[in-house]
Amino acid sequence: GPDSGSRLCLDGLGIRRVSAVPSGIEALSLSDNRLRELGPVSACGSLRELNLAGNQLDETAAAPLAELPQLLVLDLSRNLLRGLGPLFPAGAAARGEAWPRLESLDLSANAALAELAPALAARRLCSLVAGGLALTSLRCQRSESLEVLDLRGCCLQEVTGLTLLPALRSLLLDGNALLAGCEDAAAGHPRLETLGLARNATARLDPPRLPMLTALDASENRLTEVPDFSGVPRLNSLSLPENGLTSLGSALSSLCCLTFLDVSRNCITRLEPSMSSALRKVQVLLLAGNDFQQLEDVLGVFGSLDRPCLQHLDLRENPLCLAFYPCPQLLPFWTWEANRFPAEIDLEGSVQLDTSTSSAREMYRSNAVSVCPALRSLDGTLLERAAALQPADAAGPSAASTWPDPEEVLYTTPGQ
């Protein structure tokens, strides 16, 4: 990329007009100014990266950028674009006459922009971010190069033609109005690896047939049943929190690569024995806010596994452990961020459990470790086993929270 000598950052300076651009500049950032026209910027042939986010540019003012021969990355988010016709003249982009090298384009938060398909004509475009547009539907046109399509927070009711994007690896459709999910994606795509469908008021998901899919996020919908996942054999991260699920049944039984499972804030009462194969490699299991009454309802399925891989378990806000955490506000949001033991948290909150509840909590924690010896955190608190594994020169229990393990499982929170 451009070295520091060929970069120039002029963000947030209230600039209304650019009178000159240094020769040879390769990366220029002019975000959050008041530009209505680009002047000499549009003739700067050496530019490779250009950030114009948060200005007052319309499509006519931005159109000359299509002629820049070296431009790879362009951010036009938060401007006044209303259409893409002047930016992507018919046929010119496909022939390489416009945007000859453009790889990454951000059009997010142009609130009046209601079209997107013309941008797919840029023949080298790999990443298109276009969240927060006024799109109600998208009919894709062919792009052999596009790998990432981010359409979060639009008004989409349907997306069709995804097979015209054969290189697509990541499709983010969170925060739209896809009441039946994305049927076109579920019908099959040869290379799709990441699919985001959170916050769509979706009541039903068709069984996905995506052989390369590794991450699916369908959080905060209206799902009452889990679809058959036999068509996603590589899935390793599944997020289904804040739905209306009462059971996971046998829908997950075909998943043999799962390492991250989030079904928190549903109405689940028990993990069925048929889930044992799916849970064999799971390292993060988030079950907070369900209706588990006994620890056996959760860990019974792990009893049949020879060496459970579970490292982080969250059961907060379930009946079985409600009394164990009188200061829930002192616990971290994600259980793997745990850096203290329950007694330390009680001390900070100036509370003391009665003898019976304290003994029950210790038994609860001891039983969890006995069934899943690899556990590092439980409900946002450290486990004694974690303390025993910290380096000899570590000072205090907080040192165990970093876990600098090169073979740490790669799990992320949805959206990160």
Side-chain angles (χ1 to χ4, degrees), residues 4 20 51 53 56 72-73 98 102 105 137 159 162 164 216 228 241 266 315 327 355 377:
S4 58
N51 182 1
Q56 300 172 27
L72 299 173
V73 179
L102 188 66
L105 175 62
S137 66
V159 178
L162 289 172
L164 298 175
L216 172 62
D228 178 11
N266 279 283
L315 287 165
C327 299
T355 303
S377 74

Side-chain angles (χ1 to χ4, degrees), residues 299-300 302-303 305 308 366-373:
L299 296 183
F302 287 93
L305 302 180
S366 176
N367 287 343
V369 173
S370 67
V371 175
C372 299

Side-chain angles (χ1 to χ4, degrees), residues 3 26 33-34 45 47 65 82 85 125 128 145 156 160 209 246 287 297 317 323 345 402:
D3 58 39
E26 295 186 17
N33 284 293
R34 302 178 183 179
L47 274 177
L65 297 174
R82 297 182 297 268
L125 191 65
L128 178 56
S145 59
L156 287 167
T160 59
R209 296 189 296 278
T246 58
L287 300 170
D297 296 334
E317 301 174 39
I345 297 170
T402 56

Side-chain angles (χ1 to χ4, degrees), residues 168-169 189-194 209-215 231-236:
L168 192 65
R169 295 186 297 106
H189 190 285
R191 298 188 65 181
L192 194 64
E193 298 176 5
T194 301
R209 296 189 296 278
L210 301 166
M212 302 301 291
L213 193 72
T214 59
V232 286
R234 293 173 180 254
L235 194 69
N236 59 49

Side-chain angles (χ1 to χ4, degrees), residues 8-15 18 20 28-33:
L8 181 61
C9 181
L10 299 170
D11 297 336
L13 299 178
I15 298 172
V18 178
L28 176 61
S29 186
L30 288 162
S31 67
D32 298 305
N33 284 293

Side-chain angles (χ1 to χ4, degrees), residues 6-170:
S6 60
R7 292 181 176 271
L8 181 61
C9 181
L10 299 170
D11 297 336
L13 299 178
I15 298 172
R16 296 176 182 269
R17 179 173 174 270
V18 178
S19 57
V21 176
S23 61
I25 193 76
E26 295 186 17
L28 176 61
S29 186
L30 288 162
S31 67
D32 298 305
N33 284 293
R34 302 178 183 179
L35 296 174
R36 293 180 180 270
E37 58 183 35
L38 294 175
V41 174
S42 59
C44 187
S46 59
L47 274 177
R48 299 176 63 191
E49 301 176 16
L50 179 57
N51 182 1
L52 295 168
N55 280 284
Q56 300 172 27
L57 300 167
D58 61 19
E59 59 273 22
T60 302
L65 297 174
E67 306 299 323
L68 294 179
Q70 303 297 325
L71 192 62
L72 299 173
V73 179
L74 175 61
D75 189 342
L76 285 170
S77 62
R78 297 183 289 116
N79 275 281
L80 302 176
L81 304 182
R82 297 182 297 268
L84 295 181
L87 285 166
F88 298 90
R95 293 191 300 270
E97 298 169 4
W99 312 105
R101 297 188 64 189
L102 188 66
E103 296 179 357
S104 177
L105 175 62
D106 191 339
L107 299 172
S108 300
N110 283 279
L113 186 58
E115 64 173 343
L116 191 61
L120 299 175
R123 65 178 185 177
R124 293 194 178 186
L125 191 65
C126 295
S127 173
L128 178 56
V129 179
L133 305 187
L135 287 173
T136 57
S137 66
L138 174 63
R139 181 172 295 179
C140 299
Q141 67 180 59
R142 179 163 289 280
S143 171
E144 301 289 344
S145 59
L146 193 69
E147 298 182 8
V148 177
L149 182 56
D150 184 345
L151 298 172
R152 288 177 286 186
C154 296
C155 307
L156 287 167
Q157 299 175 21
E158 66 172 353
V159 178
T160 59
L162 289 172
T163 55
L164 298 175
L165 309 175
L168 192 65
R169 295 186 297 106
S170 178

